[in-house]
Amino acid sequence: MNVDDLILVSIDDHVVEPPDMFARHVPAKYVDEAPRVVTDDNGVDQWIYQGRPTGVSGLNAVVSWPAEEWGRDPAGFAEMRPGVYDVHERVRDMSRNGILASMCFPTFTGFSARHLNQHKDPVTVIMVQAYNDWHIDEWAGAYPDRFIPIALLPTWNPEAMCAEIRRVAAKGCRAVTMPELPHLEGLPSYHDIEYWGPVFATLCEQNVVMCLHIGTGFGAISMAKDAPIDNLIVLATQISAIAAQDLVWGPAMRSYPDLKFAFSEGGIGWIPFYLDRCDRHYTNQKWLRRDFGGRLPSEVFREHALACYVTDKTSLKLRHEIGIDNIAWECDYPHSDCFWPDAPEQVLAELTDAGADDADINKITWENACRFFGWDPFARTPRERATVGALRATASDVDVSIRPRKEWARLYAQKQLAQA
């Protein structure tokens, strides 16, 4: 396949929410209680909700920074590439990278909205709804041909979760982001069918996918006090296997045949060993009497799951053992893992090296994701205009320069002055 003929759909990217995102979506009586951005004495922009700060860290928005400036230190909006938080610039950046469509996980709320949900009160339900309205109607809604929307849930309230699933589904949203390991957030585990059963049933009823993004389960990694941050970043992908175990061997996948799970940013390398281990355990440890309805655990997993990768050159050679219908690609823009603006070249080189033919390439780069999330890529965009080559032709003027953070801040100030 020629790189210009690729079609790329990324099911794991991120948005750093603009400061005014709640302004048009919170009912007037709750405006004063909405999360807001405050700039501290060091020039760092921080989200504040109910008196608690949630910083925007540098690793969330390093695209177009020199690698030596990457880090965990907080950043202001002025230092970021505008495509990080401006939807119009995001689409231009997507086109320059040849990406047709993107699913954007949240930033300041936490990937599973934990930073909101730590406040278990009715106002938080209002803020979750407002966030979803912004994301679905304003972010994804600005370019419905370019975004697959994803919603937050008030995870501490099953009744409110079910209501919000139905509400966002009615708006056309077919994905929600939830904790990998809810017991780490003080919630019942996914084994608790009394708590999660109504939620699982509602997800099935509404055909909504449950997305589990790495990082929400960091608490499962008990690191040495003197361990470097590298340990957390490298081992985070293994939490996907822990989450899968709770879902495969608990009631979720075994009792809800229509339930769908997307494992986000965990890659696919953990899957072959995990599934082999599951099947061996199931067939060998018969005394435990688990019931998978006459199927192997690996078969149950493949019926329910989709996993995505940024780069996974070795595991792609095992794509058929993993399940060719269970693999999707992600860009991870604007994080440090992403390839921008040369993702198409990276994707094709890796798949070609793995021996993938055109049929396998199409499944991994767009078909599996679009099928799983029920999103028609050509509903608004003719196929011939959805390719890498066609999209890049519309964005040849996009600046791909690597600039220091101070330079981005200077350009931001210059733009603000011009608009004043």
Side-chain angles (χ1 to χ4, degrees), residues 87 131 134 162 167 194 202 207 241 243 245 251 272 311 326 362 386 407:
V87 69
Y131 186 103
W134 167 79
C162 292
R167 193 182 77 88
E194 184 176 348
T202 305
N207 192 26
Q245 179 68 9
T311 175
N326 300 99
N362 282 330
E407 176 64 10

Side-chain angles (χ1 to χ4, degrees), residues 120-152:
K120 299 175 174 60
D121 56 48
V123 173
T124 296
V125 176
I126 299 295
M127 298 310 156
V128 167
Q129 292 173 341
Y131 186 103
N132 290 340
D133 287 344
W134 167 79
H135 181 90
I136 297 168
D137 300 338
E138 196 167 328
W139 180 264
Y143 297 89
D145 55 332
R146 305 299 297 272
F147 292 103
I148 303 172
I150 184 169
L152 312 181

Side-chain angles (χ1 to χ4, degrees), residues 132 151-154 158-171 173-174 176 178 198-208:
N132 290 340
L152 312 181
L153 294 179
E159 184 178 351
M161 273 193 282
C162 292
E164 188 63 3
I165 292 167
R166 294 189 182 97
R167 193 182 77 88
V168 299
K171 293 164 77 74
C173 180
R174 298 296 170 198
V176 293
M178 294 174 67
V199 179
F200 293 155
T202 305
L203 289 167
C204 293
E205 164 200 310
Q206 298 295 322
N207 192 26
V208 171

Side-chain angles (χ1 to χ4, degrees), residues 120-332:
K120 299 175 174 60
D121 56 48
V123 173
T124 296
V125 176
I126 299 295
M127 298 310 156
V128 167
Q129 292 173 341
Y131 186 103
N132 290 340
D133 287 344
W134 167 79
H135 181 90
I136 297 168
D137 300 338
E138 196 167 328
W139 180 264
Y143 297 89
D145 55 332
R146 305 299 297 272
F147 292 103
I148 303 172
I150 184 169
L152 312 181
L153 294 179
T155 52
W156 47 275
N157 186 326
E159 184 178 351
M161 273 193 282
C162 292
E164 188 63 3
I165 292 167
R166 294 189 182 97
R167 193 182 77 88
V168 299
K171 293 164 77 74
C173 180
R174 298 296 170 198
V176 293
T177 176
M178 294 174 67
E180 292 177 293
L181 302 172
H183 60 278
L184 296 179
E185 300 184 12
L187 300 167
S189 79
Y190 287 132
H191 294 280
D192 189 329
I193 195 64
E194 184 176 348
Y195 188 90
W196 293 105
V199 179
F200 293 155
T202 305
L203 289 167
C204 293
E205 164 200 310
Q206 298 295 322
N207 192 26
V208 171
V209 179
M210 181 171 158
C211 298
L212 307 168
H213 195 288
I214 64 165
T216 61
F218 273 160
I221 302 176
S222 181
M223 296 197 304
K225 291 182 179 179
D226 53 353
I229 185 62
D230 310 75
N231 287 28
L232 196 65
I233 295 173
V234 171
L235 294 175
T237 60
Q238 302 307 304
I239 298 171
S240 294
I242 301 174
Q245 179 68 9
D246 281 351
L247 298 168
V248 173
W249 293 81
M253 290 192 187
R254 292 192 297 138
S255 303
Y256 295 88
D258 296 324
L259 202 51
K260 296 190 291 186
F261 302 90
F263 294 90
S264 305
E265 208 175 316
I268 58 174
W270 58 275
I271 299 175
F273 169 79
Y274 171 70
L275 294 184
D276 282 353
R277 178 72 176 174
C278 280
D279 287 353
R280 170 61 176 159
H281 175 77
Y282 180 60
T283 56
N284 188 47
Q285 308 292 341
K286 294 185 180 297
W287 60 277
L288 292 172
R289 296 184 178 86
R290 300 297 182 197
D291 182 10
F292 282 87
R295 295 168 297 164
L296 292 171
S298 61
E299 294 172 318
V300 172
F301 176 90
R302 291 188 183 103
E303 287 178 0
H304 290 268
L306 184 70
C308 60
Y309 75 98
V310 178
T311 175
D312 229 326
K313 62 181 181 180
T314 301
S315 304
L316 283 171
K317 297 174 182 177
L318 299 175
R319 60 193 176 280
H320 288 281
E321 286 77 5
I322 292 169
I324 190 60
D325 295 323
N326 300 99
I327 302 170
W329 175 76
E330 58 161 301
C331 181
D332 199 29

Side-chain angles (χ1 to χ4, degrees), residues 61-114:
V62 302
V63 67
S64 291
W65 288 359
E68 58 269 20
E69 291 197 0
W70 295 2
R72 301 181 71 192
D73 56 314
F77 286 93
E79 296 178 305
M80 301 176 191
R81 182 179 180 86
V84 172
Y85 55 84
D86 182 312
V87 69
H88 308 296
E89 292 299 321
R90 172 63 64 91
V91 168
R92 282 170 48 77
D93 282 358
M94 287 165 57
S95 294
R96 179 60 182 81
N97 209 14
I99 294 174
L100 172 64
S102 168
M103 175 180 285
C104 298
F105 282 81
T107 296
F108 95 88
T109 71
F111 297 149
S112 62
R114 184 175 185 172

Side-chain angles (χ1 to χ4, degrees), residues 1 6 348 351-352 356-366:
M1 182 179 291
L6 282 173
L348 187 58
L351 286 167
T352 300
D357 60 17
D358 286 0
D360 284 0
I361 291 172
N362 282 330
K363 284 194 173 191
I364 290 171
T365 58
W366 67 275

